[in-house]
Amino acid sequence: DPRVGWTGRVIDAHETVGVRGAEVRVERPSFAGIEVLASTEANDAGRFELRCDSAKRGDRLVVSSRLYSTLQRDLPHFGEVEIALVLRRRALLDRFVAWARRRGPPFDASLEPTPGQVARTAHRDSNMGAWAQAVERVGFGPGVVDEAAEEEVDRLAPQLAGQGGRGKR
């Protein structure tokens, strides 16, 4: 019954190709923790079907994949949906550029601030320099950027007033 579930496709936000193996689930947060009400995995083309007849207001749609940032949103209305995920590598670099622009001069001096530029500019702040070097190594390096690699870099991120290094995604 299409009135109690979703069908759709999980795609790469930039390449628009299907994300094979992405987990699509309905979660209900509570004081006791998170209850998974329904879960499915996207096929080779990124297509999925998810049925959940117990969904209610306040439940969340959560989509995760090893190489992609986890997406959490309020549940959409039942029916066909397309879910775009961003590679963790891209999300890491996007957060870096956003930080540099919010921080302002001298960190946003170029059109697109680079980790190397921030590391050189932050010569007096070894923590900021270490974070910029980690962004450069992980963001532009040959390795896989999975959740552990992303968290390693995010732990080094400088804090802005009232906000953690990573902020809300």
Side-chain angles (χ1 to χ4, degrees):
D1 184 352
R3 294 172 299 178
V4 293
W6 302 266
T7 59
R9 189 165 177 234
V10 180
I11 62 167
D12 179 294
H14 294 89
E15 304 295 327
T16 67
V17 297
V19 177
R20 178 178 60 115
E23 183 183 8
V24 182
R25 59 190 181 274
V26 176
E27 292 183 352
R28 179 170 294 152
S30 71
F31 290 113
I34 301 291
E35 178 184 1
V36 177
L37 303 176
S39 178
T40 191
E41 190 173 294
N43 68 16
D44 288 348
R47 298 224 35 96
F48 70 91
E49 291 184 30
L50 180 64
R51 182 181 170 88
C52 183
D53 51 7
S54 62
K56 64 180 186 179
R57 184 183 195 106
D59 292 344
R60 308 278 291 168
L61 178 69
V62 179
V63 186
S64 59
S65 180
R66 179 171 176 252
L67 301 179
Y68 291 83
S69 290
T70 299
L71 178 89
Q72 296 184 36
R73 297 284 187 261
D74 291 337
L75 278 178
H77 293 290
F78 295 129
E80 179 82 16
V81 295
E82 184 171 82
I83 302 163
L85 296 182
V86 176
L87 281 168
R88 291 178 189 277
R89 180 182 312 270
R90 285 184 186 263
L92 183 69
L93 294 169
D94 288 347
R95 286 193 302 275
F96 175 83
V97 169
W99 172 87
R101 289 193 175 137
R102 279 192 312 270
R103 186 70 189 249
F107 301 105
D108 67 346
S110 67
L111 293 176
E112 187 95 342
T114 67
Q117 171 198 350
V118 168
R120 287 186 301 278
T121 305
H123 54 78
R124 283 181 249 144
D125 185 336
S126 62
N127 292 334
M128 190 181 306
W131 169 64
Q133 289 171 347
V135 170
E136 186 166 51
R137 178 178 40 78
V138 172
F140 295 106
V144 170
V145 182
D146 58 9
E147 185 174 19
E150 184 180 31
E151 286 177 355
E152 174 190 329
V153 173
D154 284 342
R155 273 194 298 275
L156 298 171
Q159 302 263 329
L160 294 176
Q163 176 183 340
R166 187 175 189 174
K168 290 189 175 187
R169 287 196 287 175

